[in-house]
Amino acid sequence: AAQQAHGHAHGHGHDHGDGKTSQMTVYDDQIEIFLEHPYLVAGQGAEFVTHVSYMQSGLPRKAGPVTFIMQQGQQKPVEHIDKGPARDGIYIPTLTFPRAGQWKLAMSIPTENGPHRIDLQDVTVYASQQQADDAPEQDGPEGISFLKEEQWVWRTLTEFVQPQEIDGSRSLVVPTTCIVYDRDTAIAYVQLSGETVEKRNITLGKTKDGMVQVLSGLKSGERVISRSAYVIAQKEHAGDSQATAHAPHGETPAGVVHLTDQVIDKHGIESNLASSAMLDRQLTLNGQIALNADKVAHIVPITSGIVREVYRDEGDKVRKGEVLAWIESSELADAKSTYLSASEQFDMTRQIFEREEKLWEQKISSAQEYLEKKQAFTEARIAKRTAEQKLYAIGFDKASLERLSAEPEQYLTKYELVAPYDGTILSKHLTLGESVSTDHDAFILADMENVWVEFQVHGMDASLVKAGQKVIVKSQSGQDPFECILSYVSPVVEQETRTSLARAVLSNDSGKYRPGQYIRGTVLMENIPAKVAIDKDAIQYIDDEPCVFIKTSEGFEKRLVQLGHATKDQVEITAGLTTQDEVVVQNAFLIKSELEKTADAYGGHGHPH
């Protein structure tokens, strides 16, 4: 955004000479540049009086370099580094443009996030001083002038006029902090340039959440002064006894805001007596739906080989024992062959031993022959058991071993990957013809009939969350809220996040809860009695301290309070209020805004005259 004005500089506290000068105001969401310079002549140095302000704070840049970047057409840019401000917020470099014509101008300002570039307006460079003198002088914006140095003292901030919907009606809005009242007339001050503002009488509509509709008097995109608006009003009307701006003649006590009944009614400012209450304590936690880690299977081939068939894909639902794929494995064939051989050897040596044992009992054979046959039988039994264990390790069971001897020989190399339980295949990592090893997942299978609901609990709230508590959960996908019961709360706080884990198990027969969904849960805790409780909307923060506004005969008095337990709508007041106090509960932020603006206008003392 940029606006430019031309004219003589008078009373700015920095000399530009007697010639004609040009101004420009350029800003973005971080920096505002208000710049003044004389008409430019090729080859002649010219002072560029440059005011640098921070948009978020309204304060000047007090230290550090800035770089001016000058470029004509496609020529190589010329850079000039000004090492620091001549005084707070004001850089005064002497820039020389070597050639006449139009030049692009920009500034680069170092920030914590790196160089921040602001493109300024193009400038005209004349071939001679005579051409510059003959050039027409253009008028600047008309309005009320305030030096940037003054605005820095007041910490002038601006807000943009923008369209927004309030109660179903889309119109232009501004924050209520931008509005100043002269009796019952609403006024806003529009910043036309760095040092010029314009007073506007405006018509207001509805107010909501600190924003107010502007029915007439402002345009979309205009910058309206918020903080220090009352300062400008006071400066404008210096010596004018009619400029009361809500305050009656005489002195209002510090911390008290006086508003007319008409303004109170217009902006819907309401108050109620503080009262005792039973607080339904609740704690809001963020989290997500997660897989039940106890029901996630990483199916890994226990033997290496070549993938010959793949029967299931990602997203498929499978039943326990269902074959997902089979692998041709020479390693498996060796294991099966070893077992079959050991089994046959066992059967044969057993028969021989049993016959030899009978002969020995009948005194027909010698003890030496008997012991030899027994040793052979024992060795065969050990060999068979060893071969069995190898197959059990691969995934065989007793029934599989019993069927093995009846399998055709071509099946000796066949290794089947089967589902350990009912579930859904989340991922598949094998393809037909691929060589697979025993060190990576072939499938990941999850039982989705129940999922985990996991919440992150901040350290300060850890003592409040316990297993067995009910949680009302809302998802960001628009599903209906649901209830669950916390089944586990971790006793350990993670070092990186400084949070602990709270978990509930949720039935998911319908499959509508998807792992990875972000959720927000409200933990329901025991109710507690509060001697004094008020609506949370009544609490305002001034200088980072909680306060409320009490309706009194003199106006609305600021009262510091101490906060206790809170629910979604109410908060306990442990000090600062009694049940005899009438507290502003609707649109209290408007009174806070008036108090802050009045304090700005009168040196922070809060008592206008």
Side-chain angles (χ1 to χ4, degrees):
Q3 293 173 318
Q4 185 170 11
H6 297 272
H8 292 286
H10 296 297
H12 291 273
H14 24 259
D15 184 18
H16 303 301
D18 296 330
K20 293 172 288 188
T21 61
S22 179
Q23 301 178 359
M24 67 176 75
T25 302
V26 182
Y27 52 86
D28 59 17
D29 60 345
Q30 297 185 45
I31 302 289
E32 180 196 68
I33 304 296
F34 172 61
L35 186 152
E36 302 173 276
H37 63 83
Y39 277 25
L40 304 174
V41 178
Q44 295 184 17
E47 285 189 347
F48 276 63
V49 181
T50 308
H51 305 69
V52 183
S53 309
Y54 293 110
M55 291 286 285
Q56 298 300 319
S57 66
L59 295 175
R61 179 178 173 83
K62 295 184 178 181
V66 297
T67 301
F68 291 81
I69 305 168
M70 303 167 282
Q71 184 176 22
Q72 188 177 48
Q74 300 302 313
Q75 299 287 332
K76 182 179 179 181
V78 178
E79 294 189 355
H80 177 94
I81 299 177
D82 197 348
K83 295 182 178 180
R87 53 185 178 274
D88 287 352
I90 302 177
Y91 294 78
I92 313 180
T94 298
L95 304 183
T96 302
F97 295 80
R99 295 177 298 276
Q102 292 294 116
W103 286 74
K104 294 184 180 298
L105 188 62
M107 287 181 64
S108 179
I109 300 174
T111 69
E112 293 180 355
N113 299 319
H116 183 75
R117 180 186 172 104
I118 299 180
D119 291 318
L120 306 178
Q121 289 184 308
D122 293 355
V123 295
T124 300
V125 179
Y126 297 96
S128 65
Q129 185 63 54
Q130 186 61 48
Q131 288 186 6
D133 293 340
D134 293 340
E137 184 173 351
Q138 299 180 6
D139 294 330
E142 295 182 0
I144 310 165
S145 293
F146 296 99
L147 299 180
K148 287 304 297 183
E149 292 91 320
E150 292 180 281
Q151 296 183 49
W152 289 333
V153 172
W154 308 331
R155 291 187 64 181
T156 298
L157 302 179
T158 59
E159 299 283 349
F160 288 101
V161 182
Q162 56 186 332
Q164 182 175 307
E165 188 172 294
I166 293 183
D167 292 341
S169 175
R170 190 168 181 82
S171 58
L172 298 181
V173 299
V174 294
T176 55
T177 54
C178 298
I179 309 303
V180 176
Y181 289 93
D182 187 351
R183 296 187 180 277
D184 294 324
T185 301
I187 297 168
Y189 290 94
V190 178
Q191 186 119 34
L192 301 180
S193 71
E195 294 189 341
T196 305
V197 301
E198 182 180 61
K199 177 181 177 180
R200 302 273 185 86
N201 291 343
I202 59 178
T203 305
L204 303 179
K206 297 179 181 179
T207 299
K208 185 177 182 181
D209 297 333
M211 307 297 287
V212 59
Q213 287 179 316
V214 179
L215 305 180
S216 66
L218 295 175
K219 298 178 181 178
S220 180
E222 289 185 315
R223 291 170 64 198
V224 181
I225 291 175
S226 55
R227 183 185 173 96
S228 78
Y230 264 85
V231 178
I232 293 176
Q234 183 68 14
K235 294 290 185 181
E236 179 197 6
H237 293 292
D240 182 356
S241 61
Q242 299 301 315
T244 57
H246 285 325
H249 292 292
E251 185 166 310
T252 301
V256 175
V257 176
H258 178 85
L259 301 177
T260 65
D261 291 341
Q262 184 175 358
V263 171
I264 292 172
D265 292 340
K266 182 179 181 62
H267 294 290
I269 296 172
E270 299 178 5
S271 57
N272 289 325
L273 286 173
S275 61
S276 58
M278 288 295 294
L279 296 182
D280 181 12
R281 286 197 301 165
Q282 299 177 355
L283 178 65
T284 300
L285 302 175
N286 293 319
Q288 64 177 357
I289 303 293
L291 291 170
N292 182 340
D294 294 335
K295 287 292 187 177
V296 177
H298 294 257
I299 302 175
V300 180
I302 302 179
T303 181
S304 58
I306 306 298
V307 179
R308 293 307 183 192
E309 292 288 347
V310 180
Y311 301 115
R312 287 288 180 256
D313 209 337
E314 292 179 355
D316 288 349
K317 295 182 181 298
V318 298
R319 307 293 294 179
K320 179 180 179 179
E322 185 174 344
V323 178
L324 308 180
W326 75 268
I327 297 169
E328 185 180 64
S329 171
S330 58
E331 181 182 338
L332 176 63
D334 290 343
K336 286 182 177 180
S337 297
T338 300
Y339 170 76
L340 291 173
S341 175
S343 182
E344 289 183 4
Q345 184 68 21
F346 171 77
D347 290 341
M348 183 177 64
T349 56
R350 183 184 61 184
Q351 293 174 7
I352 294 173
F353 169 70
E354 289 175 350
R355 184 175 65 250
E356 186 64 29
E357 187 177 35
K358 290 179 180 179
L359 292 174
W360 179 72
E361 290 174 349
Q362 296 172 3
K363 308 296 183 180
I364 298 175
S365 65
S366 65
Q368 180 66 28
E369 290 176 322
Y370 168 74
L371 292 176
E372 288 177 354
K373 300 299 188 291
K374 183 178 181 179
Q375 181 180 354
F377 172 61
T378 301
E379 290 175 351
R381 184 174 58 194
I382 292 172
K384 179 185 178 183
R385 184 175 299 173
T386 301
E388 274 183 2
Q389 294 304 317
K390 288 183 178 179
L391 289 178
Y392 284 143
I394 292 175
F396 278 65
D397 55 20
K398 187 174 182 179
S400 300
L401 290 179
E402 292 174 353
R403 293 194 302 267
L404 185 57
S405 60
E407 282 187 356
E409 288 187 4
Q410 61 266 30
Y411 282 8
L412 288 178
T413 60
K414 187 175 183 180
Y415 170 64
E416 294 178 335
L417 292 172
V418 299
Y421 45 72
D422 296 353
T424 301
I425 296 176
L426 300 184
S427 63
K428 179 193 74 172
H429 300 287
L430 75 174
T431 57
L432 194 64
E434 177 186 8
S435 176
V436 295
S437 61
T438 60
D439 59 357
H440 80 287
D441 296 337
F443 295 92
I444 296 179
L445 178 71
D447 180 355
M448 305 284 284
E449 289 190 358
N450 60 66
V451 292
W452 283 352
V453 185
E454 296 185 334
F455 300 100
Q456 298 301 316
V457 184
H458 292 286
M460 66 180 67
D461 299 324
S463 62
L464 302 176
V465 181
K466 299 177 177 62
Q469 290 175 325
K470 181 186 293 186
V471 185
I472 308 299
V473 182
K474 293 182 179 180
S475 72
Q476 295 183 358
S477 59
Q479 295 173 334
D480 293 335
F482 58 89
E483 293 184 4
C484 58
I485 304 296
L486 293 180
S487 57
Y488 170 76
V489 177
S490 173
V492 178
V493 176
E494 294 183 9
Q495 292 302 309
E496 292 184 1
T497 63
R498 306 307 302 167
T499 61
S500 56
L501 176 69
R503 177 191 302 146
V505 179
L506 180 66
S507 176
N508 191 34
D509 294 338
S510 64
K512 65 179 179 179
Y513 303 117
R514 295 178 177 271
Q517 278 183 300
Y518 287 108
I519 55 174
R520 177 168 291 181
T522 302
V523 182
L524 305 181
M525 296 178 286
E526 295 179 358
N527 294 350
I528 59 170
K531 292 182 179 180
V532 180
I534 59 174
D535 292 348
K536 290 179 74 172
D537 290 343
I539 303 297
Q540 303 297 311
Y541 286 85
I542 297 179
D543 296 329
D544 296 326
E545 293 185 305
C547 65
V548 297
F549 289 97
I550 307 299
K551 186 176 182 181
T552 69
S553 59
E554 295 180 328
F556 295 96
E557 174 191 340
K558 184 185 82 170
R559 182 83 60 81
L560 295 178
V561 293
Q562 292 183 12
L563 307 182
H565 296 290
T567 69
K568 178 182 178 182
D569 301 314
Q570 289 185 300
V571 60
E572 178 187 19
I573 304 298
T574 58
L577 282 183
T578 71
T579 54
Q580 304 301 313
D581 292 318
E582 187 172 350
V583 182
V584 175
V585 295
Q586 187 75 21
N587 292 329
F589 64 88
L590 294 173
I591 302 176
K592 171 191 172 183
S593 173
E594 294 300 312
L595 181 65
E596 290 179 336
K597 289 189 288 188
T598 303
D600 283 339
Y602 298 96
H605 298 293
H607 48 274
H609 298 277

